[in-house]
Amino acid sequence: MMAGLPDLLALLPGDPAIVNPLVALALATLVYLAADGLAHIAAARLRRRVTPLGEALDGHLRPILRHALAGGLLATCVALWPADGLAHLILGAALALAMALLAWHILRSLAIPQLAVIPLVLLLFVMVLSGSSGGFAPVADMLDEIGIDLGKRRLTLLGIFSMAAICVALFAAVRLTNRLVARSIAHTSGLDPTQKLLAQKLGAIGAIVVAFFVGIDLLGIDLTAFTVFSGALGLAVGFGLQKTFGNLIAGIILLMDRSIKPGDIIVVGESFGWVNKIGVRAVSVITRDGKEHLIPNENLMTQEVENWSYSDRNVRVRIPVGVGYDSDLQLAQQLMLRAAQESPRVLRNPKPNVWLTAFGENRVEHDILVWISDPESGVGNVKSDVLNRLWLLFRDNGITIPYPQRVLHHADGAARPGERA
């Protein structure tokens, strides 16, 4: 087939120096149009069948498929086209552009910074273009000649680019693996939220460890060089990084024993709110004011923590109310129960209750006890709603809430102004 292609091109009318590049340009355009149509169909099917993959690539699935398919078809065209002339260079440039755009979309979908992506994409474009036109050896030799000597080692531009490419590739692979694992676990129905979060954290740690050893192997670093470094790392962990590793281990323990879970309502010191997420270093707690408190994991292991939803999400709310001594106590207590029962967030089971707690200085003290199942929505607004309803009921039924009173006694024998003693 390769021998017949030049004969087919020779049959075309016109000057080959002009016709062949136009044919190559038209072929590259048709390849991209075909790849775009196939990518549209394939992306839709992949999103339905492999949902985590589409979510992990963050909207870049179709461009990635388009450039990957175009790159494969263009590589075939480059291999079959006669390796001389401008036409072959046009196909090689199209192939290099496809590979560069493929790398761009993959890396950007994983939120790799542009400053790290652009140099690698340009290097890939040059390498593919040179490989399709004259081989990688000239470019590699040129980059290898530029460098400096550091002791017994020589640091070359080729080595720097290779190390940067390997590091970025491993970083992208770790991010893609974490996203795929996170999406896959999120769609698993057999695990509760805490188990899913723990599995995601362990998967992320495993991906980093594997990437570390793969990178060591690809970069050709001797592990014996880490003997001194490991001793220094041990001292760093013992002193400077003790808190960091302590928080990491504490976070894993919290997820394993499930004492604190995302969505729980907790009180730690002055911080009250619901747990948004448990991170590697700290737990995010969002208060009712919308403030997000980052509490170190180690604090939750060593300090006293109130977890309102540890084993049961039901929380009892106490609402103190006082009525006058001249009021009908039985009617007042019935109105208190009615106000609690009419509040939409108050549970019917356990049912509300009213306790007479004390005979105060100028009023009879009561406690309205109600239960709610959504403490993350706040406690003060439940009290406000019940008290507002009770105020209207008391006003309509003549129940009084007395003002504080003070009685002043005037001694009769005391001398008045203008009188003799």
Side-chain angles (χ1 to χ4, degrees):
M1 185 174 181
M2 292 181 64
L5 186 58
D7 297 335
L8 293 176
L9 294 174
L11 296 176
L12 296 175
D15 186 2
I18 299 177
V19 173
N20 288 355
L22 292 178
V23 172
L25 184 60
L27 181 60
T29 304
L30 290 175
V31 164
Y32 250 101
L33 291 176
D36 186 65
L38 293 174
H40 178 70
I41 299 173
R45 293 186 177 181
L46 281 176
R47 287 192 185 97
R48 290 194 300 267
R49 297 184 180 181
V50 192
T51 304
L53 180 62
E55 295 177 351
L57 294 177
D58 193 21
H60 290 260
L61 180 59
R62 182 177 174 182
I64 290 174
L65 291 175
R66 180 199 307 135
H67 297 303
L69 291 172
L73 295 174
L74 288 170
T76 304
C77 296
V78 170
L80 297 177
W81 200 276
D84 57 348
L86 180 60
H88 189 272
L89 182 61
I90 291 175
L91 290 176
L95 174 60
L97 181 62
M99 293 295 98
L101 291 176
L102 174 62
W104 170 269
H105 282 285
I106 291 176
L107 296 177
R108 290 302 295 157
S109 67
L110 300 173
I112 306 298
Q114 290 187 7
L115 293 177
V117 174
I118 292 176
L120 294 177
V121 168
L122 293 177
L123 178 63
L124 180 63
F125 178 84
V126 173
M127 297 292 287
V128 174
L129 181 60
S130 63
S132 62
S133 58
F136 294 104
V139 177
D141 292 340
M142 179 187 68
L143 295 177
D144 194 44
E145 291 176 358
I146 304 174
I148 57 175
D149 294 325
L150 296 176
K152 296 181 180 180
R153 294 183 177 272
R154 179 172 174 79
L155 184 62
T156 64
L157 196 57
L158 178 62
I160 294 175
F161 279 128
S162 300
M163 292 178 61
I166 291 173
C167 292
V168 172
L170 289 175
F171 184 67
V174 169
R175 280 206 168 181
L176 180 59
T177 301
N178 290 341
R179 288 189 180 184
L180 289 175
V181 170
R183 266 56 173 199
S184 300
I185 293 174
H187 289 87
T188 302
S189 58
L191 301 176
D192 60 27
T194 304
Q195 293 172 336
K196 290 180 180 180
L197 185 58
L198 177 59
Q200 292 174 8
K201 298 297 182 185
L202 294 179
I205 294 174
I208 293 174
V209 172
V210 171
F212 174 78
F213 285 105
V214 171
I216 292 296
D217 183 63
L218 292 177
L219 295 174
I221 299 176
D222 189 2
L223 289 178
T224 57
F226 284 90
T227 54
V228 178
F229 173 75
S230 60
L233 180 61
L235 292 175
V237 172
F239 293 98
L241 300 179
Q242 182 180 5
K243 291 292 185 181
T244 301
F245 277 84
N247 287 322
L248 173 62
I249 301 302
I252 295 177
I253 294 175
L254 289 175
L255 292 173
M256 291 180 65
D257 68 1
R258 304 175 61 187
S259 57
I260 296 177
K261 308 178 293 296
D264 282 354
I265 310 301
I266 65 173
V267 179
V268 184
E270 300 296 329
S271 300
F272 164 78
W274 59 279
V275 178
N276 182 29
K277 67 177 182 179
I278 301 177
V280 175
R281 187 190 66 84
V283 172
S284 169
V285 178
I286 298 180
T287 67
R288 287 289 298 161
D289 297 331
K291 300 177 181 178
E292 190 164 3
H293 293 184
L294 298 178
I295 303 175
N297 295 332
E298 199 173 10
N299 289 2
L300 300 178
M301 297 289 296
T302 57
Q303 295 182 8
E304 182 178 347
V305 179
E306 292 183 20
N307 191 338
W308 289 16
S309 51
Y310 176 59
S311 59
D312 189 359
R313 293 188 61 81
N314 291 350
V315 175
R316 192 175 74 170
V317 180
R318 186 177 69 90
I319 308 173
V321 176
V323 298
Y325 279 99
D326 56 349
S327 300
D328 186 343
L329 291 185
Q330 185 175 4
L331 176 60
Q333 293 170 0
Q334 292 175 356
L335 295 177
M336 294 178 199
L337 279 177
R338 179 179 169 185
Q341 292 168 351
E342 291 178 352
S343 183
R345 287 183 56 200
V346 173
L347 298 179
R348 300 297 176 264
N349 187 22
K351 63 181 181 180
N353 202 355
V354 174
W355 286 359
L356 193 156
T357 57
F359 295 108
E361 184 177 349
N362 49 39
R363 61 182 184 175
V364 183
E365 305 286 352
H366 292 80
D367 277 349
I368 304 176
L369 304 177
V370 300
W371 292 85
I372 60 174
S373 61
D374 53 348
E376 67 275 6
S377 298
V379 176
N381 49 10
V382 175
K383 293 182 179 181
S384 175
D385 182 69
V386 173
L387 291 176
N388 274 312
R389 296 174 185 273
L390 186 59
W391 171 262
L392 298 177
L393 292 175
F394 276 3
R395 185 190 62 185
D396 295 340
N397 290 273
I399 303 298
T400 59
I401 300 176
Y403 296 100
Q405 298 180 5
R406 296 291 182 268
V407 178
L408 299 178
H409 296 279
H410 188 344
D412 292 337
R416 292 182 175 87
E419 296 183 354
R420 291 183 179 180

